[in-house]
Amino acid sequence: MVLLDNDSFLTELAQLFQKCRSTGSVAITLKKYDGRTKPVPRKGKGAGTGAGAGERKGQAESSEPASDTKCLIRASDGKKRVSTVVTTKEVIKFQMAYSNLLRAHMDGLKKKAKSSKGKDAKAPQLAPDSSLHR
C-alpha cells in the first residue's frame, strides 16, 4: 500500500474512479489512526478478555491528547491500493476536496430497478373488507 500526501491521494483516487467508471468498483475505508504501523502484542494468555482488558483500553484512550487525532483513509479497486493520513489541521480542506471529488464521480451509479411485485402485493391490502359492506 502506498502512503501519499493528501493532494496526491485525491488525484490517484480520481484516476481510480475514472478507471472503474464502466466496470468495477472502488472501496474506501476510513479509520482513526494513532501512528502505529504494527499491532501491539498481547501480554500473556487471555489478555484481551476480562475486566483488566477494559481498564487498559480506557487508560490508553485517556492518555492520548484529543488534538493529535488523525484519520487514515484507504482506497482500493482490487488491484491498486492508495492511502493517506489526514490530521485535524487539514481535515476541513481535505473534506471539501474529497466531497467535490465524490460528487463529480457519482454519476456512474446505476438506478435501482423497481419491481412490479411490490405493487401486486399491496393491491389485496387495499381491497375493501367484505364484512364492512353488509
Side-chain angles (χ1 to χ4, degrees), residues 29-86:
T29 59
L30 294 97
K31 69 184 263 187
K32 187 176 177 181
Y33 183 66
D34 57 2
R36 286 188 253 158
T37 57
K38 295 183 179 180
V40 176
R42 294 183 181 176
K43 295 180 182 177
K45 253 186 184 179
T49 60
E55 293 171 6
R56 282 191 296 272
K57 188 176 181 182
Q59 289 173 356
E61 289 179 9
S62 63
S63 66
E64 194 175 305
S67 62
D68 195 27
T69 306
K70 298 176 184 175
C71 181
L72 175 65
I73 302 175
R74 297 176 179 148
S76 173
D77 67 345
K79 296 175 186 170
K80 187 173 184 179
R81 297 161 65 185
V82 292
S83 61
T84 189
V85 176
V86 181

Side-chain angles (χ1 to χ4, degrees), residues 5-7 10 86-100:
D5 64 301
N6 295 341
D7 294 330
L10 291 171
V86 181
T87 61
T88 53
K89 293 177 184 177
E90 303 167 332
V91 74
I92 300 296
K93 178 184 171 190
F94 182 82
Q95 190 269 337
M96 295 298 288
Y98 178 66
S99 64
N100 288 336

